[in-house]
Every structure is written in structure tokens, then in C-alpha cells.
């Protein structure tokens, strides 16, 4: 029996639609939907256990995968099966997780899985923009407790016109690429890159996206009502004790407030807070501690948060003694590592990043192979966050999702400043050595200086800053915090990171935890961030004002040469012999690519020795050398033969041609060595390709005067009549019937 299908359609307003459908697939999941736009289809399922986990947080897993079959392709590599998620998939998981997680009840701790799969791909639809919609719609069809529907959209802008969910081709023309996540009444998440736009333009894009999201949230509500809205499941809530909460608040608040106001360092402050907590625990008996242990910790954290927030709202002071607009002390250094192609240190307060730059050929480009996108990155950035940077010892389990996300943000901040025609592939690596607030923004600053130190001609330097927000909904007070600490990150109502040049924003990442944040506060926060960015930018420019004019002496130099398609094979040689020997002899790296439009060869020559690079260029010039018919060229004898001499053009070493013995001199030449010898240099005239021999013809004698009385030999008569029949060349012309009589048939021999 065909199941009943429920469907809602969202009109994007430009002829495109998004449909949300349920009832046909994955019916054993607690909620499942198929979201479709064009030929792009996402299947999203959600399942949540009915038993609470024995943890004090929500064990939520958001998994996004793109199936290669969706694009009619096979997975790359030896094993033809999808394996670990790509960076692109991880980034989509993070986008969805950041919007969903805050909307589950704080005391809901059941294991929950949201799984999103790309089942059918459309090259004109970017599937990651619909992942948030799919996740929220699946949850709305379940009985899982969840505050309100949300959705996510991508916003682009072409020639001043905003576009919802642009295509990959449209993004190439767009000066904005932002993903916004929101509910009907609140913007919750913003992430993207821009081409130096203003704060006001960024807010306009967010408003435009929010209007589209409201329509998508309404469609989810309609679908859930048509399907039959389920009763929200009951679960065992966390234990609460209002009297205990008040007691701990009264015991802790003033002490915490005093420590917070003392402007201590991170570890001193942490130790002082830990001491207060132990003092409070000591006021309870062992039996009470055993009974209320988790509640004591919970209510202490609540009191600590309240005290720190009140200090900022009431007195404008922060944990380290700064005012809300102050930036921590900064010191920078470039060229710290002697062997790297570029390096820098950026230290701001207790956060430090060491960045390195490595230059390479197109062979070192980062290859991206996803069902929804194939291509390569000639500029990419990797971010590493070791446990010692926060004074911790914990297992290393590969690159975390956080490291992927922070590295991507810094990459997006900087990549627009690297010229598109820059010949090198550039890899930036950020090693976070200390962390107490926004190591990703320290990475942007360190990366900028390392690029300039490496001699990468970036258009403008980029700086970044992490901001925070504390609000009081009852009084209407709010405080925007510049350059937040790690502690302020989780105590505030919003944390956002903004990067940019002196002329505008290049990237942002924003998580808003307070409902109904006004756009006025958002603009004010962005303006304060601008002031902080410019202050930090000034410190960077003091350290290194502009890119170094050249790469470092030990860094590879890159020369790019365009050659016609017909010469690519000659440069490579049979089995790669020519190019391999050339690389070995010149100690260079040679990479040849073919221009997809012109089909010309793009030759990249990378080496630290200029003489080696020059030798490769000379070889290319030699291969491309084309003498003109009638032209005179200097040649050198490189090989002696019985019937002539092999000569090479001195202006194109390696470009050889045969000088026939008959073209050496006007007189008859018995021995080639009578006229020329190895190493002789002289001029020849080029006659082009001889129609008889089909080989190139050059002549030495054509440039010499004819001897007095010289008489040219008459041309040889090649006619058959004058030479006689080919059958009369002294051969025995006996026919096949005149074979020797004593030859026996094969059968006779067998009988013998």
C-alpha cells in the first residue's frame, strides 16, 4: 500500500520552490522529511532516546553526508565507499548544530541524532543552505521537546540585489556569501564571507535573510499540523531546589563579585573561584554533599555567572580589569622561524598564535572532491589547537570539528586579499600556543603578518576581533564587550567574530543566545567591533607595514611560462624523460597544466636557484624556437656522421638539425671532417622542410660564394628506362619453376 504523503511548498519568489515532504521514507525514525529544490533532495531523520543520559549536557549529534551516488559518481580513492566526512560536510554539521542546540530544553539530556543525507544532487542548488530547514522540519514532526521551528538560508548579493540561496555560479559574481539561521522572531546564527562590506550592509543582508526564514518556519508549522502534531514526550526533568539555589547565591555572589573586580589573571582567578566553591561545599555536611553535590555545582555556576555579568552591567568592568571597549596588550613579531617561507607571532593578552606560510606549485593545491562541489584551493589555512594552549592534558584524536570550523573562518577572512592571478599555491598553518579568548581571530592577525613576511602581495592587511554582549531584559541595559576572554565567551548573550580591512568586513561568525535581539544593538556592536579591528590593524602595520618585495632567499621562486599546446609533449618527453632529467639537472620543480579554454600549456617552474630556473626557461625557449625560411642562424657542430654533421642552433641549445654533406661546401666533399669538426661554430641558411626528404634543410654552402668556374652537376635521372629494368641487375631471373630439381616435397622428407 502506498503511504499517504504530506507536502508543503515554499515559494522563493523568483520561480524557484522548496518542498518539504513526509510520510514516504524512513517512517521508523521519530521524525523524517525530504526537502527538495530542483533536482536536489535531502533526507533528514531525527531520533532521540526515551531515557535520559547520565550526563549534564545534551548529547546531540548532527551528521550531514553527501552521497556520491546522488551526483552519479563514484567515491574517489581505492575503497569505493564513503568514509570519514569531508571538511565541507563538517562545516555544514556545525552550521546546523549551532542553531539547533540552544532550542532543546536545558534539562533534556537524552541521546539525540539528527542525520541529513544528500540523496540527489542538482548543480544549480547548494544543498547545505537547506540542511537547517530539513533538520528543523524533521524535529517538528517528532515528539521531541524543541522550543520553536528554525531555518537557515544563504544570502548573496549581485549588483546590489540580494538573492536567497544563490547557485554556485551566482556566488562567483556575489560580493556576499552568508548563511543565516533564525527562528520566526530571533536571528540566532550568522556566518560568512564578504568583499569588504560595511556594517550597515551586513545588517541589511541579515534582515533580508530573516524575512525568508519566517516563511520557511511557517511552512514547517503547516506541515506538522497537516501530518498531525504529536504530543511532546514527557521526560524526567533535572532536580531543582529553589531554597538551595538562594542559599548558594547568597553565599557566593559577593565573594565572586569581589574576585571578578580584582582584575586577576586567568589562572589566579580560576583558583580563587575554585576556592570559593570549596568553601561553600564545606558549609554542607557529607550527607548533604552526597545528596546535593550536582546541584551545589550547578547553583554555584549560576551565581558566578550572575556576579560577573552584574559587574559589567553595573560598573562597566570586566574580569581582567578592562573597560568594555579596551583591547588587551598586543605584541607581534615576524620572521621568527628561519627555515619557513614566512612566519609571525601574534600575542594578545593570554592568547597567542604562531603562523607559518609555505609556497608551492599548483600540484600542492588542496583538492576538494564532494558530490556537490569539485575543485581546488590555491590558498588554504589550517588551524591547530593543542591541549597545552589551555594548560590541559587530554588525548589527541585527530582534527576536531572546532579546528576545522575556526580554520575555515580564518581562511575566508584572508583569501580575498590574495590576488587571483598569484602564481603560488599558499598554505598557512596557525599553531595556537596560548588561548584565553578568540584564537581564531589571533590566527587571522598572525596569518596576515606571515603572508606579508613571505612576500605574498596581499591587497590589504586583515585583522579580526571577538566581541561579546551582555544584556538585561528587565532593565534594558546592555554592554558590548571588545576582545572577549574565554570566560566571557560562555557568560554572555552573544559572541561574534568579525574580520576585515580598513575598508570593510571580509568575514564573520556570530552566535546569538538572547531572543529578539534588536538590530539597533547589533549595529552598535558591529560599530564597536570596527573600532577594535582598526586598533588591532594598527598594531599589525607597526610590525610589518607592507608585504616584502620578494620571497625569502631560501624560499622557492616561481616563474610561469605559457607555451603552445604543440610543445607540451616535447617538454615532457617520452615517458616523462625530458622533464624528469631537466628537473634533476636544474634542481627545480616543473608542473605543466593545460588551460581549459585556450588549451595552451601553463608551465610552473619552482626553484630556489635562479640559475636552475633560467636553465629551464632556456630549454623552453629552445623547444619553442622556430627558424624562419630564408633566415641565417648560427649553429654549433655537436655530432659527426658519415653523411653530414648534426648541428644545434646556438640561440636554442638542444634544438638540432642535420647539415647534409652535400650542403657543406660547393666543392665535392669526400669526408665531413675535411670541412667541419666537432665544436665548430658557423652560420647556415634555413630552407624549411625539404619536400623530398620531409626533413628540415639547412645549408652552409648557400652562404658561401661559388668558386670561379663552378659547374653544377646535372641532376640524376631516376627514370626506369635509363637505368634498365630492375630485373636486369645481375640477378638470376629464373622463375619459380626453375627451382632446384633435387628439392623434394615435404611429404617425401617425412617418408624418408
Amino acid at each position: 500500500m502506498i503511504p499517504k504523503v504530506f507536502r508543503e511548498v515554499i515559494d522563493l519568489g523568483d520561480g524557484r520552490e522548496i518542498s518539504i515532504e513526509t510520510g514516504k521514507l524512513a517512517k521508523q525514525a521519530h521524525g523524517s522529511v525530504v526537502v527538495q529544490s530542483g533536482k536536489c533532495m535531502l533526507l533528514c531523520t531525527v531520533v532521540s532516546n526515551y531515557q535520559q543520559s547520565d550526563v549534564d549536557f545534551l548529547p546531540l549529534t548532527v551528521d550531514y553526508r553527501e552521497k556520491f551516488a546522488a551526483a552519479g559518481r563514484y567515491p574517489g580513492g581505492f575503497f569505493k565507499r564513503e568514509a570519514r566526512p569531508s571538511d565541507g560536510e563538517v562545516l555544514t554539521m556545525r552550521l546546523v548544530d549551532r542553531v539547533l542546540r540552544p532550542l532543546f530544553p536545558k534539562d533534556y539530556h537524552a541521546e539525540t541524532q539528527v542525520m541529513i543525507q544528500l540523496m540527489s544532487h542538482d548543480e544549480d542548488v547548494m544543498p547545505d543552505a537547506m540542511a537547517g530547514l530539513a533538520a528543523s522540519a524533521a524535529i517538528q514532526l517528532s515528539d521531541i521537546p524543541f522550543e520553536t521551528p528554525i531555518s537557515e538560508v544563504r544570502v548573496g548579493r549581485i549588483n546590489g540585489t540580494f538573492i536567497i540561496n544563490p547557485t554556485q555560479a551566482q556566488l562567483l559574481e556575489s560580493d556576499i556569501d552568508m548563511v543565516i539561521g533564525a527562528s520566526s522572531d530571533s536571528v540566532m546564527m550568522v556566518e560568512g564571507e564578504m568583499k569588504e562590506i560595511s556594517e550597515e550592509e551586513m545588517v541589511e543582508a541579515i534582515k533580508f535573510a530573516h524575512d525568508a526564514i519566517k516563511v520557511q518556519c511557517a511552512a514547517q508549522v503547516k506541515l506538522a499540523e497537516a501530518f498531525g502534531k504529536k504530543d511532546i514526550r514527557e521526560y524526567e526533568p533535572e532536580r531543582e531546589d529553589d531554597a538551595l539555589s538562594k542559599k548558594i547565591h547568597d553565599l557566593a555572589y559577593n565573594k565572586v563579585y569581589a574576585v571578578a573586580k580584582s582584575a586577576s589573571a586567568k589562572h589566579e582567578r580560576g583558583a580563587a573561584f575554585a576556592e570559593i566553591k570549596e568553601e561553600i561545599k564545606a558549609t554542607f555536611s557529607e550527607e548533604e554533599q552526597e545528596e546535593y553535590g550536582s546541584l551545589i555545582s550547578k547553583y554555584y555556576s549560576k551565581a558566578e555567572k550572575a556576579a560577573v555579568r552584574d559587574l559589567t552591567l553595573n560598573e562597566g568592568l570586566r574580569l581582567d580589569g578592562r573597560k568594555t571597549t579596551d583591547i588587551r596588550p598586543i605584541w607581534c613579531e615576524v620572521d621568527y622561524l628561519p627555515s619557513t617561507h614566512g612566519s609571525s607571532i601574534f600575542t594578545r593578552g593570554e592568547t597567542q598564535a604562531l603562523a607559518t606560510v609555505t609556497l608551492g606549485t599548483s600540484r600542492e593545491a588542496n583538492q576538494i572532491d564532494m558530490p556537490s562541489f569539485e575543485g581546488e584551493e590555491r590558498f588554504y589555512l589550517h588551524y591547530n589547537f593543542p591541549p597545552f594552549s589551555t594548560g590541559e592534558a587530554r588525548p589527541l584524536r585527530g582534527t576536531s570539528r572546532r579546528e576545522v570550523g575556526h580554520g575555515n573562518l580564518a581562511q575566508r577572512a584572508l583569501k580575498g586579499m590574495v590576488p587571483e592571478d598569484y602564481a603560488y599555491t599558499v598554505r598557512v598553518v596557525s599553531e595556537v600556543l596560548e588561548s584565553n579568548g578568540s584564537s581564531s581571530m589571533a590566527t587571522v592577525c598572525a596569518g596576515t603578518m606571515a603572508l606579508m613576511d613571505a612576500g605574498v602581495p596581499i591587497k590589504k592587511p586583515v585583522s579580526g576581533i571577538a566581541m561579546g554582549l551582555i544584556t538585561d531584559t528587565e532593565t534594558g541595559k546592555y554592554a558590548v564587550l571588545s576582545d572577549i576572554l574565554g570566560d566571557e565567551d560562555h557568560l554572555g548573550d552573544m559572541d561574534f567574530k568579525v574580520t576585515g580591512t580598513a575598508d570593510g568586513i571580509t568575514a564573520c561568525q556570530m552566535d546569538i543566545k538572547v531572543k529578539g535581539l534588536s538590530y539597533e544593538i547589533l549595529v552598535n556592536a558591529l560599530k564597536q567591533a570596527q573600532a577594535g579591528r582598526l586598533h588591532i590593524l594598527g598594531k599589525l602595520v607597526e610590525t610589518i607595514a607592507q608585504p616584502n618585495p620578494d620571497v625569502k632567499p631560501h624560499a622557492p621562486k616561481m616563474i610561469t611560462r605559457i607555451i603552445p599546446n604543440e610543445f607540451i609533449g616535447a617538454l615532457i618527453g617520452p615517458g616523462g624523460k625530458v622533464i624528469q632529467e631537466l628537473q634533476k639537472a636544474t634542481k627545480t620543480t616543473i608542473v605543466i597544466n593545460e588551460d581549459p579554454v585556450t588549451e595552451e600549456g601553463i608551465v610552473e617552474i619552482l626553484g630556489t636557484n635562479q640559475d636552475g630556473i633560467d636553465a629551464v626557461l632556456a630549454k623552453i625557449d629552445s623547444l619553442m624556437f622556430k627558424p624562419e625560411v630564408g633566415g641565417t642562424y648560427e649553429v654549433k657542430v655537436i655530432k659527426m656522421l658519415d653523411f653530414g654533421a648534426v648541428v644545434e642552433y646556438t640561440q636554442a641549445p638542444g634544438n638540432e638539425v642535420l647539415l647534409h654533406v652535400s650542403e657543406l661546401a660547393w666543392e665535392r666533399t669526400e669526408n665531413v671532417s675535411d670541412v667541419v669538426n666537432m665544436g665548430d661554430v658557423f652560420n647556415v641558411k634555413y630552407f624549411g622542410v625539404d619536400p623530398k626528404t620531409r626533413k628540415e634543410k639547412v645549408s652552409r654552402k648557400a652562404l658561401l660564394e661559388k668558386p670561379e668556374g663552378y659547374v653544377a652537376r646535372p641532376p640524376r635521372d631516376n627514370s626506369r628506362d635509363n637505368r634498365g629494368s630492375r630485373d636486369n641487375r645481375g640477378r638470376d631471373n629464373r622463375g619459380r619453376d626453375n627451382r632446384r630439381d633435387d628439392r623434394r616435397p615435404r611429404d617425401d622428407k617425412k617418408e624418408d
Side-chain angles (χ1 to χ4, degrees):
M1 182 179 71
I2 300 175
K4 184 177 181 180
V5 175
F6 300 86
R7 193 167 183 263
E8 280 292 327
V9 176
I10 301 165
D11 186 357
L12 294 179
D14 57 1
R16 294 177 298 148
E17 294 179 340
I18 299 177
S19 67
I20 318 173
E21 178 184 288
T22 191
K24 184 179 290 187
L25 304 181
K27 295 190 293 299
Q28 291 193 46
H30 295 163
S32 69
V33 295
V34 172
V35 174
Q36 180 171 357
S37 181
K39 293 184 290 185
C40 177
M41 298 175 69
L42 293 174
L43 169 65
C44 179
T45 59
V46 60
V47 173
S48 185
N49 290 341
Y50 284 93
Q51 297 79 32
Q52 291 275 66
S53 299
D54 189 21
V55 293
D56 61 352
F57 61 91
L58 172 65
L60 169 67
T61 301
V62 175
D63 193 80
Y64 171 81
R65 300 300 177 100
E66 296 188 355
K67 306 297 184 180
F68 277 84
R73 295 177 51 209
Y74 285 90
F78 186 78
F79 296 103
K80 300 303 178 186
R81 183 185 182 97
E82 290 86 355
R84 66 180 184 86
S86 65
D87 283 0
E89 289 168 319
V90 168
L91 293 170
T92 302
M93 295 176 199
R94 281 174 52 85
L95 286 176
V96 177
D97 186 295
R98 284 160 50 198
V99 183
L100 295 184
R101 190 174 292 272
L103 296 177
F104 288 91
K106 293 187 182 301
D107 59 353
Y108 186 70
H109 300 156
E111 181 86 28
T112 304
Q113 288 184 334
V114 177
M115 302 188 70
I116 311 165
Q117 304 177 51
L118 175 66
M119 307 301 289
S120 177
H121 175 55
D122 185 333
E123 62 182 13
D124 291 328
V125 179
M126 298 183 69
D128 58 342
M130 302 191 299
L133 168 63
S136 177
I139 294 173
Q140 294 307 305
L141 298 172
S142 73
D143 63 348
I144 301 169
F146 193 73
E147 187 174 325
T148 182
I150 62 94
S151 191
E152 294 178 351
V153 298
R154 173 176 272 108
V155 174
R157 187 176 68 172
I158 300 176
N159 299 324
T161 301
F162 290 115
I163 303 171
I164 293 294
N165 293 353
T167 66
Q168 194 74 250
Q170 288 175 320
L171 273 185
L172 297 176
E173 305 175 43
S174 175
D175 62 351
I176 293 176
D177 177 7
M178 292 171 59
V179 175
I180 291 90
S183 64
S184 293
D185 57 3
S186 298
V187 174
M188 306 172 67
M189 187 278 300
V190 179
E191 180 159 330
E193 61 185 90
M194 310 87 177
K195 295 180 180 177
E196 298 181 276
I197 68 172
S198 68
E199 287 72 15
E200 291 81 4
E201 289 174 309
M202 179 175 162
V203 172
E204 279 184 48
I206 295 172
K207 287 180 179 178
F208 182 77
H210 197 190
D211 289 339
I213 287 172
K214 291 175 183 177
V215 176
Q216 297 186 7
C217 289
Q220 295 176 53
V221 173
K222 287 182 181 179
L223 181 66
E225 290 174 350
F227 179 72
K229 182 66 176 174
K230 297 178 182 178
D231 293 333
I232 300 302
R233 68 176 64 173
E234 294 183 1
Y235 64 94
E236 185 178 350
E238 284 185 350
R239 185 180 172 191
E240 297 289 348
D241 190 321
D242 293 340
L244 181 63
S245 176
K246 184 179 186 308
K247 178 181 177 181
I248 293 175
H249 181 275
D250 294 341
L251 289 171
Y253 183 87
N254 290 332
K255 293 179 180 179
V256 170
Y257 197 99
V259 171
K261 194 174 179 179
S262 66
S264 53
K266 176 183 177 180
H267 293 293
E268 295 173 3
R269 184 170 61 249
F273 286 156
E275 186 177 342
I276 295 171
K277 185 176 180 179
E278 289 303 316
E279 289 175 1
I280 292 173
K281 281 186 177 181
T283 64
F284 296 91
S285 65
E286 290 186 9
E287 293 78 8
E288 288 176 322
Q289 287 190 39
E290 187 174 344
E291 183 179 358
Y292 300 113
S294 60
L295 286 179
I296 293 172
S297 296
K298 174 183 174 180
Y299 292 145
Y300 169 76
S301 298
K302 184 178 178 182
E304 181 184 302
K305 180 176 180 179
V308 173
R309 287 169 63 91
D310 287 349
L311 174 67
T312 302
L313 287 172
N314 297 336
E315 302 188 42
L317 295 177
R318 299 161 65 180
L319 289 169
D320 56 358
R322 285 181 293 149
K323 295 180 181 178
T324 57
T325 57
D326 290 346
I327 310 296
R328 286 172 291 177
I330 294 171
W331 69 265
C332 311
E333 183 179 339
V334 295
D335 198 21
Y336 177 71
L337 301 174
S339 297
T340 61
H341 300 163
S343 65
S344 73
I345 303 171
F346 177 83
T347 307
R348 183 192 60 238
E350 296 172 296
T351 297
Q352 184 178 75
L354 170 65
T356 60
V357 169
T358 308
L359 305 175
T361 66
S362 60
R363 188 180 294 163
E364 281 71 52
N366 186 34
Q367 301 297 323
I368 301 174
D369 184 21
M370 295 174 64
S372 61
F373 180 75
E374 293 179 86
E376 64 179 26
E377 294 174 330
R378 294 292 295 270
F379 172 83
Y380 50 99
L381 185 150
H382 292 148
Y383 164 102
N384 297 315
F385 190 86
F388 68 76
S389 64
T390 54
E392 298 174 279
R394 50 183 165 78
L396 298 175
R397 304 197 185 280
T399 306
S400 68
R401 291 186 179 188
R402 180 182 181 277
E403 288 173 305
V404 172
H406 280 34
N408 178 258
L409 174 62
Q411 177 177 321
R412 299 177 88 176
L414 294 171
K415 74 176 185 180
M417 294 300 111
V418 178
E420 292 182 5
D421 59 352
Y422 190 53
Y424 289 95
T425 291
V426 182
R427 180 188 185 223
V428 180
V429 178
S430 172
E431 304 290 347
V432 178
L433 307 181
E434 298 178 43
S435 180
N436 184 16
S438 194
S439 53
S440 63
M441 295 298 94
T443 293
V444 172
C445 298
T448 290
M449 293 187 293
L451 287 168
M452 293 197 285
D453 180 53
V456 179
I458 61 174
K459 303 169 187 175
K460 301 170 189 175
V462 179
S463 65
I465 189 170
M467 306 291 292
L469 175 70
I470 296 176
T471 60
D472 187 334
T473 54
E474 293 182 3
T475 63
K477 287 183 180 179
Y478 73 91
V480 179
L481 311 181
S482 297
D483 180 23
I484 59 173
L485 301 171
D487 291 338
E488 293 171 332
D489 192 349
H490 71 269
L491 291 174
D493 299 319
M494 175 173 73
D495 65 271
F496 62 104
K497 304 172 181 70
V498 187
T499 71
T501 67
D503 298 320
I505 299 171
T506 59
C508 75
Q509 185 181 92
M510 187 180 302
D511 290 294
I512 303 168
K513 307 164 192 175
V514 62
K515 296 179 185 177
L517 180 70
S518 72
Y519 286 108
E520 179 185 354
I521 293 177
L522 185 56
V523 171
N524 290 341
L526 288 171
K527 286 294 184 183
Q528 187 170 317
Q530 180 189 38
R533 274 196 299 108
L534 295 178
H535 169 80
I536 296 170
L537 190 61
K539 297 293 183 181
L540 305 185
V541 174
E542 285 178 13
T543 305
I544 180 168
Q546 56 189 9
N548 289 328
D550 297 302
V551 299
K552 295 181 183 297
H554 61 273
K557 286 74 179 171
M558 168 88 76
I559 298 293
T560 302
R561 176 64 62 85
I562 306 297
I563 65 173
N565 180 278
E566 63 206 72
F567 294 107
I568 295 177
L571 180 56
I572 295 174
K577 181 180 179 181
V578 173
I579 195 170
Q580 290 172 9
E581 290 181 351
L582 189 59
Q583 288 181 112
K584 185 177 180 180
T586 60
K587 295 181 179 179
T588 60
T589 299
I590 305 170
V591 178
I592 305 175
N593 296 308
E594 188 174 288
D595 189 295
V597 179
T598 65
E599 295 186 350
E600 292 178 309
I602 304 172
V603 184
E604 299 173 2
I605 309 160
L606 194 79
T608 56
N609 189 318
Q610 189 61 45
D611 291 340
I613 294 175
D614 291 341
V616 176
L617 291 173
K619 178 65 175 179
I620 293 173
D621 290 338
S622 172
L623 290 173
M624 293 175 59
F625 174 74
K626 283 187 175 182
E628 296 181 2
V629 176
T632 300
Y633 300 94
E634 185 180 75
V635 296
K636 179 181 179 180
V637 178
I638 60 171
K639 193 173 184 180
M640 300 287 287
L641 302 171
D642 292 340
F643 51 86
V646 177
V647 297
E648 71 174 5
Y649 299 96
T650 56
Q651 69 185 89
N655 203 316
E656 305 168 0
V657 66
L658 174 66
L659 174 60
H660 195 265
V661 64
S662 63
E663 298 297 331
L664 287 172
W666 292 104
E667 300 85 355
R668 180 178 178 81
T669 303
E670 295 294 339
N671 297 306
V672 175
S673 58
D674 293 341
V675 181
V676 296
N677 290 291
M678 282 288 292
D680 285 357
V681 177
F682 48 85
N683 290 336
V684 296
K685 187 173 182 179
Y686 181 74
F687 287 95
V689 177
D690 190 320
K692 293 182 179 179
T693 64
R694 296 183 180 179
K695 295 182 179 180
E696 291 182 298
K697 178 181 178 181
V698 293
S699 174
R700 176 178 178 270
K701 74 179 185 181
L703 300 177
L704 304 175
E705 292 186 11
K706 291 182 182 180
E708 188 175 346
Y710 173 80
V711 178
R713 287 185 298 172
R716 180 181 296 172
D717 189 346
N718 292 327
S719 67
R720 187 179 295 268
D721 293 339
N722 290 338
R723 288 186 298 157
S725 171
R726 294 179 65 88
D727 292 336
N728 297 323
R729 294 185 182 179
R731 290 192 332 195
D732 184 355
N733 294 322
R734 291 175 296 179
R736 294 182 62 85
D737 292 336
N738 296 328
R739 286 180 291 187
R740 289 169 54 187
D741 295 1
D742 60 350
R743 289 190 62 182
R744 298 177 180 176
R746 186 175 299 273
D747 293 339
D748 294 343
K749 287 184 178 181
K750 287 180 180 179
E751 291 175 5
D752 292 342

